[in-house]
Amino acid sequence: MFARIYRWFRRLFILVWLFLVCAIAGWIAWANADLISVNLFAIQFPQLSIGFYLCFTFALGILLGWFGTLILANTKLLARKRELNKAKKEVDKLRAAQLSP
């Protein structure tokens, strides 16, 4: 019962958060409608609005941060799994040593 309520609130929170992010991105794009051309590492990008470039870099930063966190979390998880497997083997050895006279 509690898990169902938790999932419902979590989904609601995610939807509200996504709506707010989209609303802020729309407001930034609307308020910064001037056209610019970006030159990055000798690559000339087309003329688009400042708001588009701001929203794009914001989204790219979020994705890079998310992937970086995911990689770090998976690395820690794999390390913990190795430790757990090592501990399980040690416990199995101790149990086998106790049973044999």
Side-chain angles (χ1 to χ4, degrees):
M1 173 77 176
F2 181 70
R4 183 182 288 173
I5 294 171
Y6 171 74
R7 277 189 301 230
W8 188 81
F9 274 120
R10 184 174 176 201
R11 288 178 186 157
L12 179 67
F13 176 75
I14 290 171
L15 286 175
V16 169
W17 183 79
L18 285 174
F19 176 74
L20 286 174
V21 167
C22 289
I24 290 170
W27 177 68
I28 288 172
W30 176 75
N32 297 290
D34 298 335
L35 295 177
I36 62 167
S37 179
V38 176
N39 187 356
L40 180 66
F41 301 118
I43 299 171
Q44 187 72 28
F45 289 96
Q47 271 195 337
L48 295 171
S49 71
I50 296 171
F52 173 79
Y53 281 121
L54 286 173
C55 292
F56 177 75
T57 55
F58 178 68
L60 186 64
I62 288 173
L63 287 175
L64 288 175
W66 184 74
F67 281 126
T69 303
L70 184 67
I71 290 170
L72 288 175
N74 282 338
T75 304
K76 286 184 180 182
L77 180 63
L78 289 174
R80 299 281 190 234
K81 282 183 179 181
R82 280 194 302 268
E83 289 177 18
L84 181 61
N85 287 334
K86 194 182 293 184
K88 283 181 180 180
K89 286 179 184 178
E90 188 175 340
V91 167
D92 289 341
K93 272 186 181 178
L94 291 172
R95 284 184 182 153
Q98 262 184 343
L99 293 176
S100 59

